[in-house]
Structures are given as C-alpha cells and as structure tokens.
Amino acid sequence: MSVTRRAQVRVRVPAKVNVQLAVGAARPDGFHDLANVFLAVGLYDEVTVTDADALTITCAGRDADQVPLDRTNLAARAAELLAARHGIDPRVHIHIAKDIPVAGGMAGGSADGAGALLACDALWGLGSPRSELLDICAELGSDVPFSLVGGAALGTGRGERLTELEVGGEFHWVFAVADGGLSTPAVYREFDRLTASASGSTSAPVAEPVASPALLEALRTGDATALAATLANDLQPAALSLRPGLSATLAAGTAAGALAALVSGSGPTTAFLTKSPETAAEVAEALLASGTCRTARVAPSPAAGATVVGATAAGA
Ligand code: C5P
C-alpha cells in the first residue's frame, strides 16, 4: 500500500516577558500607546503546518483544552491573511504543541500566530519579505511582530513597531503560572479605571510612555542586578486589582531569593528574575511549595524568534 506524504513545516516560537511596560493614554482606536520592552524567553510552542483539504487546527500539550480551535485562533487567522494576500486557499492543517501558558501574559497566542505565518510562508513557497510578514503580524495583534523577531526589542505605537535591542548576557527567569487566565482588554480597562480614579478625572493627561535608559543599559550589559532594579510594568496594579492573590505569589518568589518580581504583561503569570540557573531552580521549588501558584517554570533569555525547525517535501 502506498501512502501519500504531505508537505509539512514545523516552526518553534518563544514566549515573552515585558521587562518594561510603560502605558500611555487610551487612543481614539481603543489601544494604548506603549513603550514596551520585550524579551523573548526559552519557553516554546511548536506550530506544524501540513498540506490538507481544508483549514483545520488541533492543539496538544499543557492547557490545550483552553485553546480555541476555530477561526478566532491567531494561527488560523495568520494562515487566512497570508493566503488572502496571495490569492490562494489556506488548505492547511495547523497543529500547535503548546507549552506557553494560555492567557497568561506571555504572548502564547501571538506566538502561535507568528509561528503559523512563518510555517505557511515556507509551506507555500512564498518567500515573503520580512517586512510583509511583519505587516501581517501587526494586523494579527500588537505582540505578534515580536514573536516573529524574538531576542529583545522596544515596541512603540501599540507595541507593534519594533526596534531590536542588544542583549549582553543571559538572564534567568522563573514564571509562576496562576490558575485561570486574565483577559488583556479587561486588564487595560482596569488600568483606565485606576488611572481615572487616581486623577479624579477621565480626561486628565497621562504621561507619554518612554523606555528607561537605565533598563536598556542593563539589557545591553547583561547585568541582572541592574535589570532587576529597573523592571517596571504599568499594568501590574490593574492585574493585581483583578487578581489580588498574585501579591502573595510575588512575595513568595522574592522571599525565596529572586532579585525582583513582576507581573508578566497583562498577567496573571508572574515573572521572577534570578542571578543564576541554580537560584532559578530554588525559587521555582519555593514557589511551588508556597501553594500560591499552579506551577512554576524556569527559562533563560534571550531566545530566538520564530524559527523553522523541520520541513518535509510532499512525497518525500
Ligand atoms: O493587539 P491585541 O489584539 O493583542 O490587543 C488585545 C487588546 O488589548 C486590545 O483590544 C486592547 O483592549 C488592549 N490593548 C491596548 N493597547 C495596546 C495593546 C492592547 O489597549 N497597546
């Protein structure tokens, strides 16, 4: 019996932590201007695309049951957008091997969008220029361009306009994964509510978001202690307001020897910067023992952006 082999491409995509997330005023389009310093970390989803008769999607791995398998999945939308640009049918099966926490503030959904885009581009032999892929990523979501690029970058605008940053060494992280996710729009709405109630007005000016020179220098020199002193997330009060239990997680990681702790992006994952892989393992163990999180993961940074890690030609 002969079996027809389908062409297939596999892409690996990293998670991210925001080492600085400075949030400005809400814009007329509903988004907020940001100075968003992204750092890619070594927790990965793998997206495999295979020639198929129709666009289908499956997911396996950690929390796979929380991943939508319809056209709202950014991976499916990426395939559709790329196909539409080239006037082709997105007849592809997308499989996501999920390891990035779902709805956790680590850009797991964005990673899958960037991964599917790169994989489909290779599968269909399109060879799209990087600038075109980045345009499609920005259309998919504010964090998606960074998932493609990886490393470290400053995102301005709504976070989609990237300037790559130099990183002079490895940083060691622990991520405490909370029970359940947090909705990013809900966290931004809470940010707006807290900002308005602090100023006593909904129309008070909000400071323009700017990247911290000290933080960029700490990244450039690979200095974990200096980076720890400059970590900042303007969304953290909003995430803590919606999930007050996260304060106990932050305190447990700090007590266990982390250099610094913060909410990752819009949360509810919390991130702990440590001085070595050994300390990271100790902090992870202490976080688990504290009972303040569901699981704890260690990961180094920076990590490469979306990368093709395997390809099979049809009939091969
Ligand atoms: O771009 P993305 O689809 O990931 O954004 C999800 C939601 O997060 C937006 O609809 C908006 O509510 C909020 N957001 C924002 N400002 C940004 C990025 C996201 O208000 N810069």
Side-chain angles (χ1 to χ4, degrees), residues 48-222:
T48 303
V49 299
T50 310
D51 271 336
D53 300 325
L55 177 56
T56 52
I57 182 158
T58 53
C59 182
R62 287 172 192 263
D63 302 329
D65 56 328
Q66 294 168 39
V67 175
L69 299 179
D70 57 18
R71 301 291 170 94
T72 62
N73 189 302
L74 284 184
R77 289 196 45 221
E80 285 178 329
L81 277 180
L82 183 67
R85 282 208 181 199
H86 293 271
I88 54 180
D89 273 338
R91 289 191 297 196
V92 68
H93 175 69
I94 303 171
H95 180 72
I96 300 168
K98 179 134 287 290
D99 197 39
I100 303 174
V102 176
M106 297 192 74
S110 299
D112 301 341
L117 185 67
L118 189 65
C120 287
D121 192 66
L123 187 78
W124 297 331
L126 300 175
S128 302
R130 196 77 168 164
S131 59
E132 191 182 322
L133 293 179
L134 284 169
D135 282 350
I136 298 175
C137 285
E139 209 173 322
L140 287 167
S142 308
D143 289 351
V144 184
F146 179 71
S147 298
L148 189 70
V149 169
L154 168 63
T156 54
R158 58 184 167 85
E160 87 287 16
R161 288 206 303 265
L162 297 180
T163 308
E164 292 187 51
L165 298 171
E166 204 185 318
V167 183
E170 215 178 24
F171 295 103
H172 305 280
W173 295 90
V174 182
F175 296 96
V177 181
D179 266 325
L182 260 179
S183 141
T184 302
V187 175
Y188 275 100
R189 275 198 302 275
E190 184 66 0
F191 170 87
D192 290 338
R193 194 186 68 79
L194 293 175
T195 307
S197 68
S199 70
S201 151
T202 50
S203 57
V206 176
E208 194 189 322
V210 284
S212 150
L215 179 130
L216 299 183
E217 180 63 9
L219 280 179
R220 199 185 63 76
T221 55

